[in-house]
Amino acid sequence: MFEACFQELCLSVGEDPSRKGLKNTPERVKTLWADLMAGYKQDPKEILSSSLCAPSSGLVVLQNIEFYSVCEHHLLPFFGRVSVGYLPNAKIVGLGAIVRLVECFSRRLQIQERLGAQIAKSLQECLEPRGVGVFCVAKHLCVAMQGVQKQESVLKTSCRLGAFEEPSVYAEFLQSLSVPV
């Protein structure tokens, strides 16, 4: 089935799908897409299931988690960094779990706005913190390569739940992102 789709795509743009250089392309693309879409095989609740009881009242922020995703509108990549913050109630989670959560949702057909919301909602449901904030900055190849073709444009999105809807808490989160390490 995949090979037939590849052949049809090649023919539709005037390419010869039997050309020597394209001989193994369908299998390579199939393997690539299995990796790019691996998030569909992951369960966010399972990723966050190793939470620890650790009372804390301070802001927890993991900044600049790199991600790569594929835009569901044009099937072109978008990539950038996600920063996640939460105010623990009684549970915290390992930093690796937050990174795996970002990977789980970014390795799906996606839009940036939903990516941040899915990360925030999963953390809210599993950890039950006082609040969650997710800030995402990305470049979209659908904007850079086609249509308006603006290579330097960057999309910034955020999702705020619970206490992060309060301006002072959200301001503290954003301030923590600009503090040099």
Side-chain angles (χ1 to χ4, degrees), residues 11 30 41 112 141:
L11 292 171
K30 192 174 179 181
K41 295 181 179 178
Q112 185 173 326
L141 292 187

Side-chain angles (χ1 to χ4, degrees), residues 123-142:
L123 285 166
Q124 187 69 38
E125 289 173 8
C126 294
L127 299 182
E128 300 172 343
R130 292 180 287 139
V132 178
V134 176
F135 190 79
C136 184
V137 179
K139 287 189 149 207
H140 292 250
L141 292 187
C142 56

